[in-house]
Amino acid sequence: LAKTAKIFAFENERGVQEPVGFWDPLALSSSGDVSTFKRRRTVELKHGRLCMLATMGYITPEVTGKFPGYLSYSANLKFTDVPNGLAAISKVPALGWAQVVAYAGFCELSAGSDDWKTGTPGDYGFKVLTSSDSAEKEKKLCAELANGRLAMMATIGMFFQDGLTGSAWGDWALYTDSPLRSLKSDPGFNTLPEWD
């Protein structure tokens, strides 16, 4: 009975949504420890928010274009010279990456990562994006969790596709080394349709 109570201790928490319900395949919450659950929820929110920004960072330059001007005057590097996606890693100067890391560290340390000890994880009382109506606020905070989870999957999917095809939107026809493709000379083992 105690083990069952621990397993279902978090089934009514925010983020338990249809169609999956409470999903904990690695049994990370099986101990029933509330503070550990809140800490993990804080981390989930933080990663979800970061991945929502990363997803937009992949999409926005493709749709709206890039900033005018120079990313680095000393390297004569314009924003338009930097490709989208993973290819940008090698183009941005080391000092630029140092600034990104410093800013991320500032955000990490100044935001306070102990909110899970004193209140509701991720709820900073910012009513512009949530609401003062408790039902509406709950709906929006659940949507944030769901969108963050989706963005985490989208970001890793875009990284994977970009790494294989050279583009987050990837033309899979360019990726001929796929283990899912067979040689045309042996059509009996072709797992993907050929539309030639």
Side-chain angles (χ1 to χ4, degrees):
L1 183 63
K3 185 175 182 180
T4 305
K6 285 181 183 178
I7 291 172
F8 295 111
F10 307 111
E11 69 177 358
N12 294 321
E13 289 290 327
R14 181 179 297 137
V16 178
Q17 301 172 13
E18 295 297 331
V20 178
F22 181 69
W23 192 62
D24 185 13
L26 300 177
L28 296 174
S29 61
S30 62
S31 70
D33 185 17
V34 174
S35 65
T36 300
F37 178 82
K38 283 186 168 186
R39 185 185 59 77
R40 287 188 176 132
R41 177 53 52 89
T42 300
V43 171
E44 178 186 17
L45 281 164
K46 197 176 284 188
H47 287 141
R49 289 170 179 171
L50 180 65
C51 286
M52 285 188 268
L53 290 171
T55 301
M56 291 307 299
Y58 251 103
I59 295 169
T60 303
E62 293 281 344
V63 175
T64 64
K66 298 178 183 174
F67 290 121
Y70 286 88
L71 176 65
S72 172
Y73 283 111
S74 60
N76 197 28
L77 181 66
K78 295 182 178 181
F79 284 104
T80 54
D81 297 335
V82 178
N84 290 340
L86 298 176
I89 293 172
S90 63
K91 303 294 185 210
V92 175
L95 188 56
W97 286 117
Q99 291 173 10
V100 169
V101 170
Y103 179 70
F106 169 76
C107 290
E108 184 72 24
L109 296 173
S110 66
S113 56
D114 290 344
D115 63 337
W116 57 273
K117 291 180 181 175
T118 59
T120 305
D123 185 5
Y124 299 111
F126 188 59
K127 302 292 185 226
V128 174
L129 297 177
T130 60
S131 177
S132 38
D133 175 40
S134 61
E136 184 67 18
K137 178 180 176 181
E138 184 68 19
K139 178 182 169 188
K140 288 183 176 187
L141 292 174
C142 284
E144 179 189 25
L145 270 170
N147 291 336
R149 291 169 180 167
L150 178 60
M152 286 186 262
M153 298 304 293
T155 302
I156 200 67
M158 287 188 286
F159 284 170
F160 187 80
Q161 187 162 332
D162 192 353
L164 292 177
T165 67
S167 169
W169 323 117
D171 182 357
W172 284 102
L174 300 176
Y175 183 58
T176 56
D177 295 334
S178 171
L180 298 176
R181 294 184 189 271
S182 65
L183 298 173
K184 287 187 178 187
S185 62
D186 190 6
F189 293 97
N190 191 357
T191 57
L192 293 177
E194 300 286 341
W195 289 288
D196 290 338

